[in-house]
Every structure is written in structure tokens, then in C-alpha cells.
Amino acid sequence: MFSVEETIPATEAAQIPKQRGESLLETAVRYAEERHWDVFPGTWLEAVDGVQYCSCGDAACPAPGAHPSRPDWATQATGSATVARRMWQKQPNASILLPTGRTFDSISVPETAGFLALARMERMELSLGPVTLTPDRRMHFFVLPGAAVKVPELVRKLGWSIGSLDLLALGEGAYVAGPPTRFGSRGAVQWACRPTPANRWLPDAEELISPLAYACGRDR
């Protein structure tokens, strides 16, 4: 069975990420260097009287410490490990955000549907890309770019209306938070399926959409 934070054998190359004890800077650099993902620093958490607030200054921030810190974030994103290191050296506590629509798109589903889909995918022996689990109880399945355009039609062909399912495809102009980014006091983003050499080549949305749509339909 798939499990969150499953242990990857030490003999594998490009183990992403070590996470425990590793700084945000080191992790962001390795995402760019080893996985060739674009990264950009987002907001961060600041402690005030023992309470953690988002650096954006909004006390009611819906994603404290885990959203872009500037409107031009898309132009700030980089796939250069050297540039990433320089950016996080300026703000070591900045969240790690990964733009979609470049090296990958993301299909986002509720956590309960995501685990149901993972079990189904295992039985179907499907090849998966990395999958994140966020503190707001959603799972993000990394797939080839272009999914955001194709998913609505793929869902329709399966007999569902995209509006009837809690299933979102994130592409150009969107982003996901990369582990170990924290969402305020809610916890940190984790890997449900870690990036490994075996899943460097991402699946197409068409390969995963059936079990994902089925799981979301069951989860309504």
C-alpha cells in the first residue's frame, strides 16, 4: 500500500526530499537541481506572542506562510539551483512554492478521495508521479503539463460533470506548495508518494483521471 512519507532505500539516487532536519533552502535547491522543477519563495511564518502569523500581515490569511509574497511571482520562479539558493539565503524561512504548467500540472482532490484513488491505482498497477498531501486535507497528483486543459473533457467522457466533482486541475498561472512548507499551525505539506528516480517521468492526466474521478464521485 502507498503510505505518507514512505521510506526510500538509501541506495537510490536523487532522494527528494530528506526533509527531516533539512532546511527549506537545501530542499528548494535540490528540487531545482535534482528534479529540474521551477521554484519560488513564498510567504513565511512569524511568531508574535507565541502565535504564528503569515508574513503577509493578514491575521485571517487562509494559507498562512504558504502563498506568493508578490504579484509577479510567476516571473520570479526559477529552475536554477544557484538562483534558488540566492533567493532563500535572503529569506531562509520562505515557503517553497512550485508553479504548475511548466514541468508538471497538478490534479487536486480531497484527501479521502486521494487515498481511495491511490489504493485503486495500486491494484491497477498504474505508474504514478509524486503526490503531495497538504494540511488543508487535499492531495496533489503531479502529471504532465497540459492536464488543466484536458481534464474537463476527460471527466465529461467518463460521464461526470467537472462541476459535480471536487477535482481541480492546476496548470499555467497556478502553483502548489512543496514539502516541507508549513500552513501556519495546521502542519506541513508531506509526500504521499515521494519523488524518486522511478517516477521522474510523469504520467499523463488521461492515465490517472478514471480512478481519480471515481474516487471523487464516491467521496461526494
Side-chain angles (χ1 to χ4, degrees), residues 138-158:
R138 294 197 71 83
M139 295 178 78
H140 291 268
F141 289 74
F142 289 23
V143 294
L144 288 172
V149 175
K150 295 191 294 184
V151 160
E153 178 63 14
L154 291 173
V155 169
R156 188 191 67 77
K157 287 182 177 179
L158 291 171

Side-chain angles (χ1 to χ4, degrees), residues 27-176:
T27 304
V29 167
R30 291 203 299 117
Y31 284 160
E33 190 170 59
E34 298 176 6
R35 204 71 181 193
H36 305 298
W37 289 339
D38 282 8
V39 297
F40 67 98
T43 53
W44 56 93
L45 297 172
E46 297 177 333
V48 179
D49 296 328
V51 179
Q52 291 186 322
Y53 292 98
C54 185
S55 61
C56 72
D58 182 0
C61 179
H67 64 86
S69 59
R70 45 196 284 182
D72 62 343
W73 62 265
T75 62
Q76 187 188 22
T78 180
S80 165
T82 301
V83 175
R85 182 176 298 279
R86 191 180 307 135
M87 290 194 293
W88 266 270
Q89 282 175 338
K90 292 179 181 178
Q91 180 44 257
N93 296 321
S95 54
I96 302 173
L97 303 180
L98 312 171
T100 50
R102 300 187 183 189
T103 50
F104 65 87
D105 276 9
S106 165
I107 301 178
S108 170
V109 299
E111 174 187 309
T112 49
F115 279 117
L116 177 62
L118 282 175
R120 192 174 179 86
M121 290 172 187
E122 184 179 29
R123 291 194 297 272
M124 296 169 69
E125 298 184 345
L126 295 178
S127 296
L128 284 176
V131 182
T132 62
L133 174 63
T134 67
D136 58 356
R137 304 183 71 82
R138 294 197 71 83
M139 295 178 78
H140 291 268
F141 289 74
F142 289 23
V143 294
L144 288 172
V149 175
K150 295 191 294 184
V151 160
E153 178 63 14
L154 291 173
V155 169
R156 188 191 67 77
K157 287 182 177 179
L158 291 171
W160 299 94
S161 160
I162 191 68
S164 68
L165 300 179
D166 189 359
L167 183 154
L168 305 171
L170 305 178
E172 187 175 359
Y175 62 89
V176 297

